[in-house]
Amino acid sequence: MTEQARYAVVGNPIEHSLSPRIHAAFAEQTGEALVYERLLAPLEGFRDAVERFFAEGGAGLNVTVPFKQQAWEMAGRHEPRAARAGAVNTLWRAADSTLIGDNTDGAGLARDLRVNNGVTLTGARVLVLGAGGAVRGILDPLLAEGPREVVIANRTPARAEELRELFADSGTLVACTFEDLAGPFDVIINGTSASLRGDLPPLPGGLITPETVCYDMMYSQAETAFNAWARQQGAGLRLDGLGMLVEQAAESFLQWRGVRPDTGPVMAMLRPA
C-alpha cells in the first residue's frame, strides 16, 4: 500500500477552512496518495507548530490568517512571486531541507478572473480596495496581466502609497484614499475583510458601469456586503473569492505534487448550481 504524504492548512481560527475538502477532491481526481488536515496553531506558537509538522514527516503546508507574514519570515527561500509579497501561503521542504515559501493567492485570483470568468485584465482600469497583506499578495500577478492602470485605495493613504512604491516597477500604479476615487473602472477588487462583517469602505458614486466586474476576495455562501453594493450600483458581473480559493489551492497542489488538478468540478462541488 502506497504511503500517504501528509499536508495541512495551518491558521487560527481554522475549523471553517474548506481546504481539506478541496485537496481531498484534488487527490481523488489525480490519484495522488495524500492526506490533508486542519492544523490549529496557537497565536504565539506558529513557528513551533510548523517545525513540529515537518519534523514529524509533513510534506507541505498551506498557511492562512494570521500567519502568512510569519511564514514568509520562516522561509529560507522564496519563490519569485512570494519574494515581494511579504506573505507566504504555501510551504514545503527542498531536498536539502530548506523551507521554501510561495504565495499562490495572486495567481489564483488572476486565473479565476481570466480562465473561469472570461475577464480581460489586459488594458483594463482596475481598482483595488485595501492595502493590507491580502492585497500585497495579489499585486505582482495582477500587474503581470498588463492592466492599463491599477488604483490602490485605502482608508490610510500612507499604506496605499507604500504598496505603490514597492510595486511601481511592475506597472502603472496610483495610490489614494476612498474619498479621492474617480471612476469608472473596468474591474473592482475588494481586498478588505470588512465585507464579511457587513461593512463597506466609504465609496463614492460613479465607480461602476454595467460593464464593470466586481470581485470580493472574501467568499461566502450568501451575498457579501460588497457584492450587494455592486449589484445596487449596477455592476454586470459580481464574483466572490471561492474561485480564487480553489485556484490558489490548485497552484499549491501543483507545486507539491507536480500535477495541476481540474478546478471546475471542485468549485461545482463546493457551490452547486
Side-chain angles (χ1 to χ4, degrees), residues 167-188:
F167 291 92
D169 61 332
S170 299
T172 303
L173 276 166
V174 175
C176 68
T177 65
F178 297 125
E179 292 80 4
D180 291 334
L181 284 169
F185 291 91
D186 301 303
V187 179
I188 301 178

Side-chain angles (χ1 to χ4, degrees), residues 16-96:
H16 67 286
S17 175
L18 295 176
S19 293
R21 290 184 65 193
I22 293 169
H23 283 274
F26 288 166
E28 182 177 5
Q29 178 194 118
T30 60
E32 293 291 307
L34 61 88
V35 293
Y36 190 105
E37 306 155 334
R38 295 181 184 90
L39 178 60
L40 177 67
L43 291 176
E44 303 301 324
F46 173 73
R47 179 178 289 271
D48 289 344
V50 171
E51 290 176 348
R52 188 180 314 113
F53 175 83
F54 284 109
E56 293 172 352
L61 283 172
N62 282 133
V63 183
T64 188
V65 292
F67 299 126
K68 291 183 182 184
Q69 183 175 350
Q70 289 184 58
W72 189 91
E73 293 166 355
M74 278 192 74
R77 191 164 82 233
H78 299 98
E79 292 293 293
R81 60 190 173 188
R84 277 198 300 184
V88 154
N89 76 335
T90 306
L91 289 168
W92 69 96
R93 287 208 181 276
D96 64 359

Side-chain angles (χ1 to χ4, degrees), residues 27-270:
E28 182 177 5
Q29 178 194 118
T30 60
E32 293 291 307
L34 61 88
V35 293
Y36 190 105
E37 306 155 334
R38 295 181 184 90
L39 178 60
L40 177 67
L43 291 176
E44 303 301 324
F46 173 73
R47 179 178 289 271
D48 289 344
V50 171
E51 290 176 348
R52 188 180 314 113
F53 175 83
F54 284 109
E56 293 172 352
L61 283 172
N62 282 133
V63 183
T64 188
V65 292
F67 299 126
K68 291 183 182 184
Q69 183 175 350
Q70 289 184 58
W72 189 91
E73 293 166 355
M74 278 192 74
R77 191 164 82 233
H78 299 98
E79 292 293 293
R81 60 190 173 188
R84 277 198 300 184
V88 154
N89 76 335
T90 306
L91 289 168
W92 69 96
R93 287 208 181 276
D96 64 359
S97 294
T98 300
L99 191 63
I100 303 175
D102 195 4
N103 191 315
T104 65
D105 286 332
L109 169 66
R111 186 175 176 88
D112 188 38
L113 282 166
R114 177 169 38 82
V115 177
N116 299 336
N117 293 287
V119 177
T120 300
L121 291 167
T122 306
R125 186 168 190 241
V126 179
L127 168 60
V128 179
L129 303 175
V135 169
R136 184 166 169 158
I138 67 165
L139 281 177
D140 250 348
L142 186 64
L143 289 162
E145 296 286 324
R148 172 166 53 93
E149 178 184 63
V150 174
V151 177
I152 305 170
N154 194 56
R155 196 179 305 272
T156 307
R159 294 193 69 184
E161 180 62 27
E162 180 184 333
L163 291 188
R164 188 198 68 76
E165 292 176 0
L166 184 62
F167 291 92
D169 61 332
S170 299
T172 303
L173 276 166
V174 175
C176 68
T177 65
F178 297 125
E179 292 80 4
D180 291 334
L181 284 169
F185 291 91
D186 301 303
V187 179
I188 301 178
I189 299 169
N190 178 35
T192 74
S193 59
S195 181
L196 288 183
R197 300 192 301 269
D199 297 329
L200 282 176
L203 299 172
L207 303 180
I208 288 176
T209 73
E211 287 73 44
T212 301
V213 176
C214 288
Y215 194 104
D216 197 333
M217 287 171 60
M218 304 297 116
Y219 65 90
S220 172
Q221 292 295 342
E223 185 179 50
T224 65
F226 171 76
N227 279 340
W229 169 83
R231 173 172 48 78
Q232 292 159 6
Q233 297 291 315
L237 181 59
R238 302 169 305 278
L239 304 164
D240 74 5
L242 183 67
M244 174 182 172
L245 176 72
V246 177
E247 292 293 347
Q248 65 81 23
E251 287 282 324
S252 295
F253 196 91
L254 176 63
Q255 287 284 37
W256 291 331
R257 310 299 297 182
V259 59
R260 174 183 286 283
D262 182 0
T263 54
V266 180
M267 282 188 273
M269 172 193 75
L270 293 173

